[in-house]
Amino acid sequence: MKFSASLLCLALGSLALVAADAIEPVTVKGTKFFYKNGTQFFMRGVDYQPVKDKNNPDPLADGDGCKRDIAYFKQLNLNVIRVYEVQTTNNHDECMNALAAAGIYLLLDINTPKYSINRADPVYDTTLYQYGMAKVNMFSKYPNMLGFVGGNEVTNDKTNTNASAYVKAFIRDMKGVLAKNKVSLPVGYAANDDLDINTNLQAYFACGDETDRADFYGINIYRWCGSDTTFSDSGYDKVLADFTNYPVPVFFSEYGCITAGVRKFTEVQAIYGKEMTDTMSGGLVYEYSEEGNNYGLVKIDGNSVKTTEDFSNLKSEMAKINPKGVTESSYNPSSSDAATCPQVSKDWQASATLPPTPSQSACDCVSNTFTCALKSDDDSSVGEILGFICGKMDCGPISSNPYNGTYGVYSTCNATVKVNWALSAYAKSAKNSAEACDFNGSAQKVTASSDSDTECKTKTDTISSGDSSSSSSSSSSSSDAIVLSVPAFAQLASVFVASVGLYAAL
Ligand SMILES: *[C@@H]1O[C@H](CO)[C@@H](O)[C@H](O)[C@H]1NC(C)=O
Ligand SMILES: *[C@@H]1O[C@H](CO)[C@@H](O)[C@H](O)[C@H]1NC(C)=O
Ligand SMILES: *[C@@H]1O[C@H](CO)[C@@H](O)[C@H](O)[C@H]1NC(C)=O
Ligand SMILES: *[C@@H]1O[C@H](CO)[C@@H](O)[C@H](O)[C@H]1NC(C)=O
Ligand SMILES: *[C@@H]1O[C@H](CO)[C@@H](O)[C@H](O)[C@H]1NC(C)=O
């Protein structure tokens, strides 16, 4: 291994080059995304969720896999990936820095199967709020974050429209956390494409106060099937028409119909063509790797990647696009008027009045007033107990009614707090008799440390800052603002390490 002065220069030269080219944040203005230099940003993306470890799904924690795949992202001319699930217990620096060095941004879903709003039985509570807060704090430090998806296809047909009230409240609160920490990253929604609900769903996420609205609207769309399809028979024309006066950016958060066999991706020319780029901001193909549902552009086997015919077709279509857009300085959105909230009806059961921000302090406080509580947190008779008690007395404080927009003061506490509130209220109504706190042995009397919950009702939490839950070494955990110069420095440091590695290997 001969030491060479010119190679050292090369290594240092590339360090300087990368430092000068450090990725800049993309921002939203009106209905469009912009690079720092004022050029409009169109998403050229894929959805990225290769599953290496089913018990710990997190492609951004796999530095080697991520670097392997970036080579393919470059072939596809990508500037963004959407990742559905990562774990807050992992470190993501290596992958995020490698993506940044390749000019690729991240759109990240906040929810996971464990921490999400269940469309069939929607609840938004302290547990989900705290999880979301940790997630956005952990990722907002990366300069190549593009935004957060605060819900994916939660309301997906007319039977579960009320779930959107909880999703919108969650989005509002994640926006609040970012704003409090002075991070300007958008939090939006990704919708399915269901003709029964599209109109109301689109309006709902874009209506009301600016602080309550989704910052962007993604559509998971599978209408363009086969290479003979056209702009009008795919229905893209109608989708476009729905959004011409929409107040926030719109893009395809998933696209790529597979029902007509090998995908030719002729829709790419439509998505990045003038007709659509006036209104929309590009899209992401579902999905990078084959995961058993035939949507993969590549097949991953161990550490090797095999591209498919779909991949080659997408690559040649992506090579042809050149969306023009507008420059930020010449773009003065006439207004960002909110949409009108849909009327609550049988077909749309989510009021414009959203659930409150969950408050751990209020829930902790009311817990101190309980006189009767479950013996075990995971008692399976909770539903039955609540049904019994709330059939006999008013459970307003723990109830939530998205149809009428009424939410009890403890309705965002976790399930244990809610059932203990009911048990205690019931026991109290029976003068705390022993029989009133039994429920076939599920409940037992407990000692309250306070006998009034009056002061609990107005308790709100302070928003956590920084990313104390992060295992990352490049973050400052105590600062109250998430400062972008910290990761920029970290990125520089990692490039330096990479350069030294290169130089050592020569
Ligand atoms: C602005 O920045 C982007 C991303 O670095 C780049 O692709 C584009 O060419 C730049 N535009 C101008 C006008 O320099
Ligand atoms: C539910 O919330 C209470 C009080 O806020 C807390 O003490 C308890 O640990 C929580 N339980 C679960 C299972 O998260
Ligand atoms: C949401 O709507 C469904 C269907 O109408 C209903 O069964 C469910 O109880 C509602 N959930 C809430 C929290 O109101
Ligand atoms: C909404 O409130 C009204 C009046 O209190 C009540 O009659 C109705 O049942 C509520 N609707 C739902 C769906 O809970
Ligand atoms: C107690 O158990 C009996 C028999 O399993 C059941 O029918 C009843 O509903 C239970 N009572 C309560 C209050 O949970």
Side-chain angles (χ1 to χ4, degrees):
M1 314 278 147
K2 205 164 48 166
F3 181 82
S4 144
S6 65
L7 281 170
L8 175 62
C9 287
L10 192 72
L12 291 176
S14 68
L15 169 61
L17 191 70
V18 173
D21 280 0
I23 200 162
E24 303 268 15
V26 162
T27 51
V28 174
K29 178 177 176 186
T31 65
K32 301 176 194 299
F33 292 96
F34 292 97
Y35 284 111
K36 190 78 178 282
N37 63 12
T39 298
Q40 192 180 341
F41 175 90
F42 291 97
M43 294 188 188
R44 306 189 307 266
V46 294
D47 298 311
Y48 183 64
Q49 193 74 42
V51 179
K52 197 174 169 189
D53 175 0
K54 277 198 175 67
N55 300 317
N56 184 20
D58 190 344
L60 301 181
D62 176 7
D64 291 341
C66 180
K67 287 174 184 161
R68 171 199 67 207
D69 295 334
I70 287 172
Y72 295 91
F73 299 162
K74 285 183 169 166
Q75 289 189 43
L76 292 174
N77 186 25
L78 304 188
N79 61 7
V80 58
I81 57 171
R82 173 182 178 192
V83 172
Y84 297 92
E85 183 175 6
V86 300
Q87 311 301 322
T88 48
T89 45
N90 293 335
N91 185 302
H92 306 99
D93 292 352
E94 187 182 355
C95 180
M96 288 304 289
N97 291 341
L99 287 166
I104 296 172
Y105 293 82
L106 173 67
L107 186 64
L108 179 67
D109 285 65
I110 306 173
N111 304 102
T112 67
K114 186 168 174 207
Y115 297 99
S116 51
I117 287 155
N118 176 354
R119 66 172 72 87
D121 182 17
V123 175
Y124 171 34
D125 67 9
T126 46
T127 307
L128 181 57
Y129 177 53
Q130 284 156 15
Y131 179 80
M133 184 146 41
K135 193 84 151 278
V136 303
N137 280 342
M138 184 174 198
F139 277 86
S140 55
K141 67 183 184 214
Y142 295 113
N144 56 326
M145 269 315 287
L146 184 64
F148 294 97
V149 179
N152 180 61
E153 303 190 5
V154 184
T155 286
N156 66 353
D157 63 32
K158 62 186 175 193
T159 68
N160 47 40
T161 56
N162 56 9
S164 284
Y166 301 91
V167 176
K168 198 174 169 188
F170 180 69
I171 289 173
R172 172 203 62 202
D173 291 345
M174 295 302 104
K175 287 174 59 155
V177 169
L178 292 169
K180 184 74 199 291
N181 288 322
K182 302 192 169 54
V183 175
S184 92
L185 283 171
V187 185
Y189 184 70
N192 69 328
D193 179 21
D194 181 301
L195 296 177
D196 286 343
I197 57 170
N198 277 351
T199 306
N200 285 331
L201 194 66
Q202 288 153 17
Y204 190 68
F205 280 100
C207 75
D209 290 346
E210 204 283 321
T211 49
D212 288 358
R213 286 183 240 159
D215 292 322
F216 59 75
Y217 195 83
I219 311 163
N220 300 340
I221 189 168
Y222 294 90
R223 293 192 192 200
W224 189 299
C225 303
S227 54
D228 298 336
T229 308
T230 64
F231 187 64
S232 59
D233 60 34
S234 64
Y236 271 27
D237 57 344
K238 298 200 178 57
V239 175
L240 194 62
D242 280 351
F243 290 101
T244 42
N245 291 312
Y246 206 64
V248 296
V250 182
F251 56 91
F252 290 163
S253 34
E254 293 177 1
Y255 74 90
C257 170
I258 57 169
T259 60
V262 170
R263 293 183 284 184
K264 294 284 200 287
F265 286 111
T266 49
E267 67 266 51
V268 165
Q269 301 317 316
I271 294 170
Y272 299 96
K274 177 83 182 126
E275 200 162 15
M276 290 191 76
T277 55
D278 279 350
T279 304
M280 310 221 359
S281 297
L284 302 100
V285 173
Y286 186 82
E287 68 178 316
Y288 177 70
S289 57
E290 179 50 40
E291 300 297 331
N293 56 8
N294 298 323
Y295 281 91
L297 297 168
V298 309
K299 295 193 169 99
I300 301 177
D301 182 9
N303 277 324
S304 85
V305 171
K306 269 209 190 66
T307 59
T308 64
E309 224 178 307
D310 286 21
F311 181 95
S312 315
N313 292 339
L314 180 62
K315 180 177 163 181
S316 60
E317 292 298 329
M318 291 297 279
K320 287 189 257 173
I321 63 170
N322 186 19
K324 281 285 182 285
V326 296
T327 57
E328 188 172 3
S329 57
S330 71
Y331 173 59
N332 296 301
S334 50
S335 83
S336 62
D337 280 351
T340 305
C341 290
Q343 278 282 306
V344 174
S345 69
K346 191 173 122 302
D347 293 334
W348 188 259
Q349 308 199 358
S351 163
T353 307
L354 302 180
T357 301
S359 164
Q360 184 71 49
S361 339
C363 302
D364 287 347
C365 177
V366 72
S367 297
N368 292 331
T369 68
F370 294 159
T371 53
C372 179
L374 283 183
K375 283 182 186 159
S376 156
D377 270 6
D378 33 49
D379 191 312
S380 61
S381 55
V382 162
E384 206 187 327
I385 294 174
L386 281 174
F388 174 83
I389 296 176
C390 299
K392 291 203 182 305
M393 53 174 283
D394 176 21
C395 282
I398 56 166
S399 304
S400 154
N401 186 333
Y403 187 100
N404 283 337
T406 51
Y407 308 96
V409 63
Y410 306 125
S411 63
T412 55
C413 297
N414 66 32
T416 310
V417 173
K418 282 190 233 179
V419 70
N420 290 346
W421 180 92
L423 287 167
S424 302
Y426 183 73
K428 199 170 181 182
S429 74
K431 308 259 179 296
N432 285 322
S433 73
E435 311 79 75
C437 180
D438 179 60
F439 288 87
N440 291 345
S442 286
Q444 64 187 356
K445 291 182 97 169
V446 293
T447 311
S449 57
S450 160
D451 55 8
S452 160
D453 74 336
T454 309
E455 64 167 62
C456 303
K457 294 179 178 165
T458 54
K459 278 195 189 294
T460 54
D461 292 348
T462 43
I463 286 172
S464 83
S465 62
D467 56 336
S468 48
S469 67
S470 161
S471 57
S472 157
S473 55
S474 73
S475 60
S476 67
S477 55
S478 61
S479 69
D480 59 349
I482 290 163
V483 195
L484 290 174
S485 61
V486 173
F489 171 74
Q491 192 188 330
L492 188 68
S494 79
V495 170
F496 180 66
V497 170
S499 302
V500 170
L502 165 74
Y503 147 79
L506 290 167

